[in-house]
Amino acid sequence: MSGAQETKELVCVGCPVGCPLQLTHEGTKLVEVHGHECNRGAKYAKQEFKDPRRGLATTVIIEGARWARLPVKVSNPVPKGRVLEAARLIHAIVAKAPVSVGDVLLTGLFGEENLEVVATRSMERV
Ligand code: SF4
């Protein structure tokens, strides 16, 4: 016996068109996706249903540089429900100048190897 089907609506963020997506699912099983104009929309819908994630960019304290804070980002999207937790962990980092853009300040955020905190600009030591 199959479970009752439900629908969920999303707006694709893959491009400025913003296609309205309709997802049909049975509990945690995604049955079908409608409304996407291209494959990116279908892929986005599946990812958003199964494991929604968001990009995260912020700043950390840096010592020994002209500026007080260093811009950083997480190398891959983090779980949507853990963005705040990720930001708190990142804000505990204290970088030391000099730093080059792309330097890795933290690896394995949440135990995920592909989640690295990297500098998004260089700062010399002053
Ligand atoms: S489904 Fe394709 S065309 Fe539509 S918003 Fe997403 S990326 Fe753009």
Side-chain angles (χ1 to χ4, degrees), residues 56 58-61 69 72 74 78 82-94 105-111 115 117:
L56 177 58
T58 182
T59 60
V60 299
I61 292 170
R69 298 194 72 88
V72 300
V74 183
V78 300
R82 301 186 78 182
V83 171
L84 198 57
E85 185 185 351
R88 286 197 184 109
L89 288 170
I90 293 166
H91 289 160
I93 296 171
V94 178
L105 305 177
L106 179 77
T107 57
L109 185 67
F110 299 145
L115 296 184
V117 178

Side-chain angles (χ1 to χ4, degrees), residues 12-19 21 35-42:
C12 180
V13 297
C15 82
V17 174
C19 293
L21 308 175
H36 52 290
E37 293 287 332
C38 73
N39 283 339
R40 279 168 67 193

Side-chain angles (χ1 to χ4, degrees), residues 24-75:
T24 304
H25 63 98
E26 290 176 6
T28 57
K29 183 180 162 216
L30 184 60
V31 179
E32 56 187 3
V33 179
H34 290 289
H36 52 290
E37 293 287 332
C38 73
N39 283 339
R40 279 168 67 193
K43 197 173 165 195
Y44 169 76
K46 285 175 194 159
Q47 178 71 37
E48 194 67 8
F49 183 78
K50 162 170 76 89
D51 181 20
R53 288 182 174 245
R54 295 293 180 269
L56 177 58
T58 182
T59 60
V60 299
I61 292 170
I62 183 165
E63 293 177 345
R66 179 183 305 272
W67 311 107
R69 298 194 72 88
L70 173 73
V72 300
K73 69 172 184 179
V74 183
S75 54

